[in-house]
Amino acid sequence: MNCWKCAKIVSEIPVKIGFRAVCPHCGVDLHVCKNCRYYSLGKPNDCAVPGTDYIRDREASNLCEEFKVKIPEKISGFGEPAMEKARRLFGIDEPEAKKDFNSLFKENPPKDPE
């Protein structure tokens, strides 16, 4: 399990998190919405579990009984900038792309009709 704030490993195996548990690295609360697998922005109460109580501060310790530790996704290249991922994914050659983009805005003299 990783801390939601500093992303450092708190425990190798997902364990039950107490209501007052804190990260040993950065000291933030761990039993929080942002560290829960059901935390889902846009859903009612930002929670995938229907009917949960409203939690005002998603980063503060709470007493939610539905809390389950978020399982981190194994992502290669964690922390890699988004543009670098996009370049690799779409095969974008930056100098070529920049040249193509700039060519859209060049002023071309009107051609004489012959």
Side-chain angles (χ1 to χ4, degrees), residues 15-41:
V15 292
K16 185 169 180 171
I17 299 296
F19 294 120
R20 298 181 190 262
V22 294
C23 174
H25 306 286
C26 66
V28 300
D29 295 327
L30 292 174
H31 195 284
V32 301
C33 293
K34 286 192 172 183
N35 213 29
C36 180
R37 76 174 63 168
Y38 300 125
Y39 179 64
S40 181
L41 283 174

Short mmCIF file of all heavy atoms in Angstrom, two decimals, residues 15-41:
data_model
loop_
_atom_site.label_atom_id
_atom_site.label_comp_id
_atom_site.label_asym_id
_atom_site.label_seq_id
_atom_site.Cartn_x
_atom_site.Cartn_y
_atom_site.Cartn_z
N VAL A 15 -3.12 -3.98 4.26
CA VAL A 15 -3.58 -4.33 5.59
C VAL A 15 -4.74 -3.44 5.96
O VAL A 15 -4.98 -2.42 5.31
CB VAL A 15 -2.46 -4.16 6.65
CG1 VAL A 15 -1.35 -5.16 6.43
CG2 VAL A 15 -1.91 -2.75 6.64
N LYS A 16 -5.46 -3.82 7.00
CA LYS A 16 -6.55 -2.97 7.46
C LYS A 16 -5.93 -1.72 8.10
O LYS A 16 -5.03 -1.80 8.92
CB LYS A 16 -7.42 -3.71 8.47
CG LYS A 16 -8.61 -2.92 8.87
CD LYS A 16 -9.59 -3.73 9.65
CE LYS A 16 -10.76 -2.80 9.98
NZ LYS A 16 -11.86 -3.48 10.56
N ILE A 17 -6.42 -0.56 7.68
CA ILE A 17 -5.90 0.72 8.17
C ILE A 17 -6.81 1.22 9.27
O ILE A 17 -8.02 1.32 9.09
CB ILE A 17 -5.87 1.76 7.02
CG1 ILE A 17 -4.95 1.30 5.91
CG2 ILE A 17 -5.45 3.12 7.53
CD1 ILE A 17 -3.50 1.19 6.29
N GLY A 18 -6.22 1.54 10.40
CA GLY A 18 -6.98 2.09 11.52
C GLY A 18 -7.43 3.51 11.22
O GLY A 18 -6.86 4.20 10.38
N PHE A 19 -8.46 3.95 11.93
CA PHE A 19 -9.01 5.29 11.71
C PHE A 19 -7.97 6.39 11.95
O PHE A 19 -8.04 7.45 11.37
CB PHE A 19 -10.22 5.54 12.60
CG PHE A 19 -11.40 4.67 12.27
CD1 PHE A 19 -11.92 3.81 13.22
CD2 PHE A 19 -11.98 4.71 11.02
CE1 PHE A 19 -13.02 3.01 12.91
CE2 PHE A 19 -13.07 3.91 10.70
CZ PHE A 19 -13.58 3.05 11.65
N ARG A 20 -7.01 6.14 12.82
CA ARG A 20 -6.02 7.17 13.17
C ARG A 20 -4.64 6.89 12.59
O ARG A 20 -3.67 7.54 12.99
CB ARG A 20 -5.92 7.29 14.68
CG ARG A 20 -7.21 7.73 15.32
CD ARG A 20 -7.03 7.85 16.83
NE ARG A 20 -8.30 8.04 17.48
CZ ARG A 20 -8.77 9.23 17.85
NH1 ARG A 20 -8.07 10.30 17.60
NH2 ARG A 20 -9.91 9.32 18.47
N ALA A 21 -4.52 5.99 11.66
CA ALA A 21 -3.22 5.64 11.08
C ALA A 21 -2.63 6.81 10.30
O ALA A 21 -3.36 7.54 9.62
CB ALA A 21 -3.35 4.43 10.17
N VAL A 22 -1.30 6.97 10.40
CA VAL A 22 -0.61 8.04 9.67
C VAL A 22 0.57 7.45 8.90
O VAL A 22 1.11 6.41 9.27
CB VAL A 22 -0.11 9.17 10.61
CG1 VAL A 22 -1.26 9.91 11.24
CG2 VAL A 22 0.83 8.64 11.65
N CYS A 23 0.97 8.13 7.86
CA CYS A 23 2.10 7.71 7.04
C CYS A 23 3.39 7.92 7.85
O CYS A 23 3.62 9.01 8.37
CB CYS A 23 2.14 8.51 5.75
SG CYS A 23 3.61 8.19 4.75
N PRO A 24 4.25 6.89 7.92
CA PRO A 24 5.49 7.06 8.67
C PRO A 24 6.49 7.97 7.96
O PRO A 24 7.43 8.45 8.57
CB PRO A 24 6.04 5.63 8.76
CG PRO A 24 5.41 4.89 7.65
CD PRO A 24 4.09 5.54 7.40
N HIS A 25 6.26 8.25 6.67
CA HIS A 25 7.19 9.08 5.90
C HIS A 25 6.82 10.57 5.95
O HIS A 25 7.69 11.41 6.15
CB HIS A 25 7.23 8.62 4.44
CG HIS A 25 7.54 7.18 4.30
ND1 HIS A 25 8.80 6.66 4.50
CD2 HIS A 25 6.76 6.13 3.98
CE1 HIS A 25 8.78 5.36 4.31
NE2 HIS A 25 7.55 5.00 4.00
N CYS A 26 5.54 10.88 5.74
CA CYS A 26 5.16 12.30 5.66
C CYS A 26 4.17 12.73 6.75
O CYS A 26 3.88 13.91 6.89
CB CYS A 26 4.60 12.64 4.28
SG CYS A 26 3.05 11.83 3.88
N GLY A 27 3.63 11.77 7.50
CA GLY A 27 2.77 12.11 8.63
C GLY A 27 1.32 12.41 8.33
O GLY A 27 0.59 12.79 9.22
N VAL A 28 0.86 12.25 7.07
CA VAL A 28 -0.55 12.52 6.78
C VAL A 28 -1.41 11.33 7.16
O VAL A 28 -0.93 10.20 7.28
CB VAL A 28 -0.78 12.88 5.28
CG1 VAL A 28 0.00 14.09 4.88
CG2 VAL A 28 -0.48 11.71 4.39
N ASP A 29 -2.70 11.59 7.35
CA ASP A 29 -3.65 10.53 7.68
C ASP A 29 -3.75 9.55 6.52
O ASP A 29 -3.68 9.94 5.35
CB ASP A 29 -5.03 11.13 7.95
CG ASP A 29 -5.05 12.02 9.19
OD1 ASP A 29 -4.31 11.72 10.14
OD2 ASP A 29 -5.82 13.00 9.19
N LEU A 30 -3.92 8.27 6.84
CA LEU A 30 -4.05 7.25 5.80
C LEU A 30 -5.49 6.79 5.59
O LEU A 30 -5.85 6.37 4.50
CB LEU A 30 -3.17 6.04 6.13
CG LEU A 30 -1.67 6.29 6.06
CD1 LEU A 30 -0.91 5.05 6.55
CD2 LEU A 30 -1.24 6.64 4.65
N HIS A 31 -6.31 6.86 6.64
CA HIS A 31 -7.71 6.43 6.52
C HIS A 31 -8.51 7.61 5.98
O HIS A 31 -9.31 8.24 6.68
CB HIS A 31 -8.24 5.98 7.88
CG HIS A 31 -9.52 5.20 7.80
ND1 HIS A 31 -10.74 5.78 7.56
CD2 HIS A 31 -9.75 3.87 7.90
CE1 HIS A 31 -11.67 4.86 7.56
NE2 HIS A 31 -11.09 3.68 7.76
N VAL A 32 -8.27 7.94 4.71
CA VAL A 32 -8.90 9.10 4.06
C VAL A 32 -9.50 8.66 2.73
O VAL A 32 -9.10 7.64 2.16
CB VAL A 32 -7.88 10.23 3.82
CG1 VAL A 32 -7.28 10.70 5.13
CG2 VAL A 32 -6.80 9.82 2.86
N CYS A 33 -10.42 9.45 2.22
CA CYS A 33 -11.07 9.13 0.94
C CYS A 33 -10.06 8.94 -0.18
O CYS A 33 -10.19 8.02 -0.99
CB CYS A 33 -12.06 10.23 0.56
SG CYS A 33 -13.48 10.35 1.66
N LYS A 34 -9.06 9.80 -0.25
CA LYS A 34 -8.10 9.73 -1.35
C LYS A 34 -7.24 8.47 -1.31
O LYS A 34 -6.55 8.18 -2.27
CB LYS A 34 -7.22 10.98 -1.36
CG LYS A 34 -7.95 12.20 -1.86
CD LYS A 34 -7.01 13.32 -2.14
CE LYS A 34 -7.73 14.46 -2.83
NZ LYS A 34 -6.82 15.53 -3.18
N ASN A 35 -7.27 7.73 -0.22
CA ASN A 35 -6.50 6.50 -0.11
C ASN A 35 -7.42 5.27 -0.19
O ASN A 35 -6.99 4.16 0.04
CB ASN A 35 -5.72 6.48 1.21
CG ASN A 35 -4.40 5.75 1.09
OD1 ASN A 35 -3.80 5.71 0.02
ND2 ASN A 35 -3.96 5.17 2.18
N CYS A 36 -8.68 5.50 -0.55
CA CYS A 36 -9.67 4.43 -0.61
C CYS A 36 -9.92 3.99 -2.04
O CYS A 36 -9.96 4.81 -2.96
CB CYS A 36 -10.99 4.93 0.00
SG CYS A 36 -12.31 3.69 -0.02
N ARG A 37 -10.08 2.70 -2.24
CA ARG A 37 -10.32 2.18 -3.60
C ARG A 37 -11.67 2.62 -4.15
O ARG A 37 -11.90 2.56 -5.35
CB ARG A 37 -10.17 0.67 -3.65
CG ARG A 37 -11.32 -0.10 -3.08
CD ARG A 37 -11.18 -1.58 -3.28
NE ARG A 37 -10.00 -2.04 -2.56
CZ ARG A 37 -9.70 -3.29 -2.34
NH1 ARG A 37 -10.48 -4.23 -2.79
NH2 ARG A 37 -8.63 -3.63 -1.67
N TYR A 38 -12.58 3.06 -3.30
CA TYR A 38 -13.90 3.49 -3.76
C TYR A 38 -13.97 4.98 -4.08
O TYR A 38 -14.99 5.46 -4.55
CB TYR A 38 -14.97 3.15 -2.72
CG TYR A 38 -15.07 1.68 -2.42
CD1 TYR A 38 -14.95 1.20 -1.12
CD2 TYR A 38 -15.25 0.76 -3.45
CE1 TYR A 38 -15.03 -0.15 -0.86
CE2 TYR A 38 -15.31 -0.60 -3.18
CZ TYR A 38 -15.21 -1.05 -1.88
OH TYR A 38 -15.27 -2.39 -1.62
N TYR A 39 -12.91 5.71 -3.81
CA TYR A 39 -12.88 7.15 -4.09
C TYR A 39 -12.99 7.35 -5.60
O TYR A 39 -12.19 6.84 -6.37
CB TYR A 39 -11.58 7.76 -3.56
CG TYR A 39 -11.43 9.24 -3.82
CD1 TYR A 39 -12.31 10.15 -3.24
CD2 TYR A 39 -10.43 9.73 -4.63
CE1 TYR A 39 -12.17 11.51 -3.45
CE2 TYR A 39 -10.28 11.09 -4.85
CZ TYR A 39 -11.15 11.97 -4.26
OH TYR A 39 -11.01 13.31 -4.49
N SER A 40 -14.03 8.06 -6.01
CA SER A 40 -14.30 8.23 -7.43
C SER A 40 -14.92 9.60 -7.67
O SER A 40 -16.11 9.80 -7.44
CB SER A 40 -15.24 7.13 -7.90
OG SER A 40 -15.52 7.23 -9.26
N LEU A 41 -14.09 10.53 -8.15
CA LEU A 41 -14.59 11.88 -8.41
C LEU A 41 -15.75 11.86 -9.38
O LEU A 41 -15.73 11.11 -10.36
CB LEU A 41 -13.47 12.75 -8.99
CG LEU A 41 -12.44 13.25 -8.00
CD1 LEU A 41 -11.31 13.96 -8.73
CD2 LEU A 41 -13.07 14.17 -6.99
#
